[in-house]
Amino acid sequence: MMKEPQNRSFTSSKQTTITVTGEGSIKASPDTVLLSLGVITENKDLAAAQSENAQQTTSVIDAIGKMGIPRENIQTKEYNIYPQYDYIEGKQNLRGYQVNHQLAVTIRTPEITGKLIDQAVASGANTVQNIQFLFSNSEGFYQKALELALNDANQKAKTISASLGKDTAPNPIKIVEQSHSVAEPIPIAFAQAAKSTTPIEAGKNLITATLLVEYRI
């Protein structure tokens, strides 16, 4: 017995996808400063150069400590001894030694940075290599920037979808994180201490996030 053929209907639906870039950024004031400063001394005698450097560095550390910086926030970043030479008529002659002791100082109150530099210089520091303005909660700020980036992508997708005459809301099917940008270190050159406090302004840094989002419309 043969089965009667069944009537079947097929509906083809063509799906459209679009890909947009979403960007989000927020401004925030850094709450932590990482400062690198130190003492460089030179002397014909190595022991004398080391002794002078140790005395000046101890004085700098004491001055920083008096400004409320805990000792655990003051660390030796670099300690080097370099022989110094003069070249006379093609011959190398030992002139003496240079001792370089650099400290990394973490400051939780950015507003005192300028005054701290002045105090350190007055106490014997003669190099300031760079200053970094940081966030103790940088990830939290970035999460907010990501949220703004996704909102931006959604709005762009809605605009494109409406322009194409689509009635349904765009449906995100793929999200790719493209970039994560936070403030970079700001280098400054050493300057002799002045009567007024060295002006160091953290300002507001920009935290940005970029997403590549694919939608079905």
Side-chain angles (χ1 to χ4, degrees), residues 4-192:
E4 294 183 2
Q6 296 179 353
N7 294 325
R8 297 180 181 179
S9 60
F10 298 88
T11 302
S12 63
S13 59
K14 187 176 181 181
Q15 294 180 336
T16 302
T17 63
I18 59 173
T19 302
V20 300
T21 300
E23 296 180 338
S25 62
I26 62 171
K27 286 185 177 181
S29 297
D31 57 8
T32 302
V33 175
L34 183 59
L35 172 64
S36 179
L37 53 79
V39 175
I40 296 177
T41 54
E42 293 186 4
N43 198 291
K44 293 181 179 180
D45 181 71
L46 176 57
Q50 287 181 293
S51 176
E52 182 183 355
N53 192 286
Q55 291 177 12
Q56 288 182 223
T57 301
T58 298
S59 179
V60 170
I61 292 173
D62 289 342
I64 293 174
K66 289 178 181 178
M67 296 198 64
I69 306 299
R71 288 299 289 264
E72 59 265 25
N73 286 2
I74 308 171
Q75 297 178 325
T76 293
K77 177 182 178 182
E78 182 181 343
Y79 186 87
N80 295 306
I81 297 174
Y82 302 104
Q84 304 293 298
Y85 297 96
D86 287 328
Y87 293 87
I88 303 175
E89 296 180 353
K91 293 183 179 181
Q92 179 176 279
N93 298 290
L94 181 64
R95 183 177 72 244
Y97 297 90
Q98 180 188 90
V99 179
N100 180 9
H101 191 167
Q102 297 298 315
L103 302 171
V105 183
T106 302
I107 307 169
R108 303 296 182 187
T109 47
E111 62 273 11
I112 71 168
T113 302
K115 186 176 181 180
L116 186 145
I117 290 175
D118 290 343
Q119 292 297 320
V121 170
S123 301
N126 52 19
T127 65
V128 177
Q129 293 185 345
N130 62 66
I131 297 176
Q132 283 181 272
F133 295 106
L134 308 174
F135 302 96
S136 58
N137 184 31
S138 60
E139 187 60 28
F141 290 122
Y142 181 61
Q143 293 299 325
K144 292 180 180 178
L146 275 176
E147 183 179 342
L148 293 174
L150 184 56
N151 291 340
D152 180 49
N154 286 338
Q155 188 57 52
K156 289 178 179 178
K158 289 178 182 178
T159 300
I160 294 172
S161 180
S163 299
L164 294 175
K166 301 291 184 177
D167 296 329
T168 58
N171 178 35
I173 57 176
K174 185 178 180 181
I175 301 176
V176 180
E177 185 179 11
Q178 292 289 293
S179 66
H180 176 186
S181 175
V182 187
E184 294 295 325
I186 300 176
I188 64 169
F190 166 73
Q192 195 68 29

